[in-house]
């Protein structure tokens, strides 16, 4: 019997890095960044939805797709007991699936991701929102202020266009703090929280604890080797040589893997931008252990 664990995160929080760490476990050389599974490894992949439903999702509205998505994940979870698919991020009988969706509910009141019938738990990866803002700006080829606006938008989403058909289904991301709260406060499935900054400080240790949550035991040597194979320099080297298929079109040429360091906001954000982010998200930042630097009465709340 296989188990499914969501790798959940707000965009640009380290989800791809974590997937590469998993992909590099028990390997004898660095895994190819372009071998990360797409359809089976990303829950919003449109092709997987179409295969399960036996008709094209492009015939449906975003809202109609949302109402069917719980059934899709329940069906995939039931399939997880069958013969393993080749294109999965998995270790033993545990399969990891990436999602940027917030933990939301359909208009029918069902958990969008299928609740406990869709997965056995989730590893939630979070990152200081002040570091996300410039990374998100790079990802979307937009200004940092536009990224800050996006992170404060209760209607924000990826792939929600109505005039074209993206490769992925719409993913709702109602504010950075709302996205994190949706996962932390739901009671449908167990959660293991990982901070990007902790993953940088003790990659092998954080990886081992996260995998233990998923029921996977790895040795320290295995975790250290995976850490070395998935080093940020290695990921950037591979992208420079062969490109990265998950990079959006706008990134090709400038790179998906950017700086990858914690605290880069110190030399990338203006004081006004820091005041805006802290004004929007101070409560959740405190909940996650991120110190703020702007006095409360100087923060910009809108």
């Amino acid at each position: 019997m296989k188990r499914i664990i969501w790798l959940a995160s707000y965009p640009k929080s380290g989800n791809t890095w974590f997937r590469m760490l998993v992909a590099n476990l028990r390997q004898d050389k660095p895994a190819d960044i372009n071998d990360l599974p797409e359809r089976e490894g990303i829950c919003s992949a449109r092709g997987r939805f179409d295969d399960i439903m036996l008709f094209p999702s492009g015939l449906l509205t975003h809202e109609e797709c949302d109402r069917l998505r719980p059934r899709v994940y329940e069906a995939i979870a039931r399939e997880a007991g069958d013969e393993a698919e080749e294109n999965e991020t998995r270790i033993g009988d545990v399969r990891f699936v990436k999602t940027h969706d917030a933990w939301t509910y359909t208009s029918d009141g069902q958990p969008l991701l299928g609740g406990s019938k869709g997965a056995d738990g989730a590893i939630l990866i979070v990152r200081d929102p002040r570091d996300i803002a410039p990374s998100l700006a790079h990802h979307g080829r937009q200004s940092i202020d536009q990224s800050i606006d996006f992170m404060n938008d209760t209607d924000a989403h990826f792939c929600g266009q109505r005039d074209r058909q993206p490769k992925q289904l719409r993913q709702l991301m109602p504010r950075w703090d709302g996205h994190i709260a949706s996962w932390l406060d739901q009671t449908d499935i167990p959660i293991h929280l990982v901070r990007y900054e902790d993953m940088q400080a003790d990659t092998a240790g954080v990886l081992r604890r996260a995998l233990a949550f998923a029921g996977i035991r790895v040795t320290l040597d295995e975790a250290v080797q995976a850490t070395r194979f998935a080093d940020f320099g290695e990921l950037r080297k591979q992208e420079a040589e062969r490109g990265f298929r998950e990079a959006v079109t706008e990134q090709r040429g400038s790179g998906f893997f950017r700086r990858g360091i914690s605290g880069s906001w110190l030399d990338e954000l203006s004081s006004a931008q820091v005041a805006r982010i802290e004004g929007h998200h101070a409560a959740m930042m405190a909940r996650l252990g991120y110190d703020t630097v702007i006095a409360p009465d100087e923060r910009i709340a809108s």
Side-chain angles (χ1 to χ4, degrees):
M1 182 68 181
K2 290 187 172 56
R3 304 172 64 236
I4 293 179
I5 299 292
W6 299 125
L7 296 182
S9 71
Y10 195 85
K12 313 312 294 179
S13 297
N15 201 315
T16 300
W17 182 27
F18 192 94
R19 292 165 69 210
M20 287 305 306
L21 288 166
V22 172
N24 275 292
L25 274 169
R26 299 166 182 163
Q27 302 297 315
D28 56 10
K29 63 180 181 180
D32 190 329
I33 59 174
N34 288 306
D35 283 343
L36 283 177
E38 287 187 292
R39 293 193 349 151
E40 289 79 10
I42 301 176
C43 89
S44 55
R46 186 178 291 275
R48 190 69 169 134
F49 178 103
D50 295 356
D51 286 348
I52 296 292
M53 298 307 299
L54 299 178
F55 63 85
S57 54
L59 297 175
L60 306 177
T61 65
H62 296 303
E63 291 75 17
E64 289 169 335
C65 287
D66 284 351
R67 285 198 290 275
L68 292 172
R69 287 179 68 178
R71 305 292 172 262
V72 170
Y73 304 126
E74 291 172 17
I76 292 173
R78 288 195 295 272
E79 285 183 348
D82 299 335
E83 193 67 22
E85 296 187 44
E86 292 184 359
N87 297 319
E88 294 180 341
T89 299
R90 61 185 171 84
I91 303 175
D93 64 352
V94 179
R95 177 178 165 194
F96 297 92
V97 183
K98 169 184 175 179
T99 180
H100 285 323
D101 289 279
W103 190 267
T104 58
Y105 294 83
T106 69
S107 58
D108 302 326
Q110 302 300 310
L112 180 75
L113 299 183
S116 60
K117 294 180 180 178
D120 298 274
I123 295 171
L124 174 64
I125 306 167
V126 301
R127 187 181 188 185
D128 190 323
R130 294 165 296 194
D131 278 337
I132 290 177
S135 185
L136 191 62
H138 172 79
H139 180 87
R141 305 294 287 175
Q142 60 190 5
S143 71
I144 291 175
D145 283 311
Q146 287 174 315
S147 291
I148 293 171
D149 290 341
F150 181 91
M151 295 169 67
N152 190 43
D153 184 353
T154 55
D155 295 321
H157 55 260
F158 271 6
C159 303
Q161 300 93 329
R162 296 186 186 276
D163 60 344
R164 72 201 74 166
Q165 186 178 23
K167 291 171 61 178
Q168 295 190 38
L169 301 171
R170 182 182 64 175
Q171 302 139 73
L172 299 177
M173 303 166 195
R175 289 178 47 118
W176 174 81
D177 56 353
H179 183 282
I180 306 301
S182 76
W183 281 95
L184 290 178
D185 296 339
Q186 59 79 32
T187 57
D188 298 313
I189 59 173
I191 288 283
H192 178 80
L193 179 65
V194 169
R195 296 196 333 162
Y196 182 91
E197 296 75 15
D198 297 334
M199 196 158 60
Q200 278 207 318
D202 178 18
T203 308
V206 168
L207 178 63
R208 291 183 76 198
R209 290 190 287 276
L211 294 180
F213 163 80
I216 301 168
R217 303 292 177 186
V218 297
T219 67
L220 179 59
D221 287 345
E222 289 172 332
V224 168
Q225 177 158 288
T227 299
R228 181 163 55 86
F229 283 170
D231 175 78
F232 201 77
E234 170 65 26
L235 303 182
R236 292 191 68 178
K237 172 176 168 288
Q238 288 194 30
E239 184 178 21
E241 292 173 349
R242 300 187 291 275
F244 182 38
R245 68 184 182 186
E246 290 187 22
V248 296
T249 303
E250 292 82 356
Q251 290 175 315
R252 291 169 185 163
S254 58
F256 178 92
F257 300 102
R258 201 175 62 99
R259 299 181 67 181
I261 61 176
S262 299
S264 64
W265 62 271
L266 289 165
D267 60 33
E268 294 188 291
L269 300 184
S270 67
S271 296
Q273 289 167 335
V274 174
R276 290 185 65 205
I277 294 172
E278 294 186 2
H280 299 158
H281 308 296
M284 180 56 72
M285 291 176 68
R287 185 176 176 184
L288 298 176
Y290 295 122
D291 294 333
T292 52
V293 297
I294 303 294
D297 60 352
E298 295 178 349
R299 293 175 189 156
I300 302 171
S302 61

